[in-house]
Amino acid sequence: MTPIQRYLAEEVALDHVDGLIPRREALRRLALLGLGLPAATALLTACGAPPESAAPESPAPSSPAASATPSPSGSPAGPSPLPTEPITFAGPEGTTLQAAWAAAEDPKGAVLVIHENRGLTDHIRSVAGRLAASGYSALALDLLSREGGTATFADSAQATARLGEIDDARFVADMKAAVGELARRADGAKLGMMGFCFGGGMTWLLLSSAEPRLSAAVPFYGPLPENADMTGTKAAVLGVYAEQDDRVNATRDAAEAALTGAKLTHELVTFPGVGHAFFNDTGQRYNADAAAQAYERVLDWFGRHLA
């Protein structure tokens, strides 16, 4: 498996271990990622799932009981979002890329937003809209644009699996094209970037890919690419981590070393008592207090390095 596929597979396994999806659904999603039953079962066990005989099976994912997701408590972090509009623009090799665009009324800067492993969702559009309401025009890129966009996938697990099949070079090329489109739409503004989970990993990837146009970046609990070298960027980096996210936290020291080695202005902050994806107000790990604090930290960072 590639590092991205391994990361996505571990996310599925941990979702099962944390009780967010039943074993049957976890095995289905792992199969979409290319794992046969023996490998998938071994991964679940390695991540802490009980043996199948000891695990009470939840309803099948097609049943109402399994498909219903408890509503997270608390309001989304940040202001009410400004509306976003769907846009397209020229990508590499004659491709057409898709995104959601939110224009600030009096922009202080502009931000590229990278989605989680489910593709460009309403939640990520909302984040772009909140940034615009806070004074930063935002472009939320759909990294499944070349497949026709996230909306072409009937199942979010299929979207995740397809993301796992895309190589780093394509991701970097598409994100660089999006930075160019952001610069065109926000002429003269300083440019920033932020991403969440998988998108946090993509943010680290672009920082490691000689992208000099970014002035600031905020990866939220994203895995650091192997042998990351950030000497080709000038961005000031705020890395956001969650205390109960051991898997991503295992790369925190390497991120600190890479940022220090590149002599970049940076700060790595860990929010106590919360887990992976604590900022996503549509998910079951959402923590409203930590999300609100994190959003204020983001605005402070962008205010110092973009405005």
Side-chain angles (χ1 to χ4, degrees):
M1 301 183 77
T2 67
I4 289 176
Q5 288 172 324
R6 183 170 64 249
Y7 171 78
L8 295 174
E10 289 172 349
E11 283 212 324
V12 171
L14 291 174
D15 281 351
H16 169 61
V17 170
D18 290 346
L20 304 185
I21 57 174
R23 186 182 185 90
R24 187 183 310 171
E25 174 63 7
L27 292 173
R28 183 185 77 87
R29 295 184 186 187
L30 291 172
L32 288 172
L33 286 165
L35 275 74
L37 183 59
T41 301
L43 177 62
L44 293 178
T45 301
C47 288
E52 185 173 8
S53 59
E57 184 55 68
S58 303
S62 59
S63 71
S67 59
T69 300
S71 298
S73 59
S75 301
S80 297
L82 294 182
T84 63
E85 61 172 311
I87 63 168
T88 60
F89 56 95
E93 303 169 353
T95 59
T96 298
L97 300 182
Q98 302 177 23
W101 168 250
E105 292 182 5
D106 185 15
K108 296 178 281 189
V111 180
L112 172 63
V113 182
I114 305 296
H115 54 70
E116 299 169 327
N117 67 19
R118 292 171 177 80
L120 181 55
T121 62
D122 286 343
H123 165 65
I124 296 299
R125 293 185 184 90
S126 171
V127 172
R130 284 178 251 171
L131 286 170
S134 299
Y136 298 93
S137 296
L139 187 153
L141 174 64
D142 190 340
L143 285 170
L144 290 166
S145 294
R146 302 197 200 189
E147 285 69 34
T150 299
T152 63
F153 292 86
D155 179 344
S156 65
Q158 293 174 346
T160 300
R162 182 65 188 107
L163 286 168
E165 297 170 0
I166 300 170
D167 61 33
D168 285 354
R170 177 181 139 179
F171 284 135
V172 169
D174 288 358
M175 288 189 289
K176 283 181 176 286
V179 172
E181 178 67 12
L182 184 66
R184 187 186 71 81
R185 288 175 174 266
D187 186 30
K190 288 186 177 180
L191 307 181
M193 181 179 185
M194 67 189 301
F196 303 87
C197 304
F198 165 83
M202 291 293 103
T203 303
W204 287 121
L205 177 62
L206 191 59
L207 289 170
S208 305
S209 301
E211 175 48 73
R213 294 172 290 180
L214 296 175
S215 295
V218 185
F220 269 72
Y221 30 71
L224 188 76
E226 295 176 357
N227 304 313
D229 180 355
M230 301 180 199
T231 55
T233 184
K234 301 174 183 177
V237 180
L238 172 65
V240 176
Y241 293 85
E243 182 183 33
Q244 299 171 1
D245 189 6
D246 293 342
R247 181 172 57 119
V248 172
N249 291 345
T251 66
R252 190 182 191 279
D253 288 347
E256 173 69 44
L259 292 164
T260 300
K263 299 181 179 179
L264 296 177
T265 298
H266 67 277
E267 182 178 347
L268 303 183
V269 57
T270 299
F271 285 83
V274 296
H276 189 70
F278 72 82
F279 190 84
N280 187 337
D281 51 272
T282 68
Q284 292 162 281
R285 295 188 180 102
Y286 179 58
N287 184 290
D289 289 340
Q293 293 173 37
Y295 191 78
E296 288 303 315
R297 293 292 287 267
V298 169
L299 292 186
D300 176 70
W301 196 257
F302 286 160
R304 282 190 272 162
H305 301 290
L306 293 186

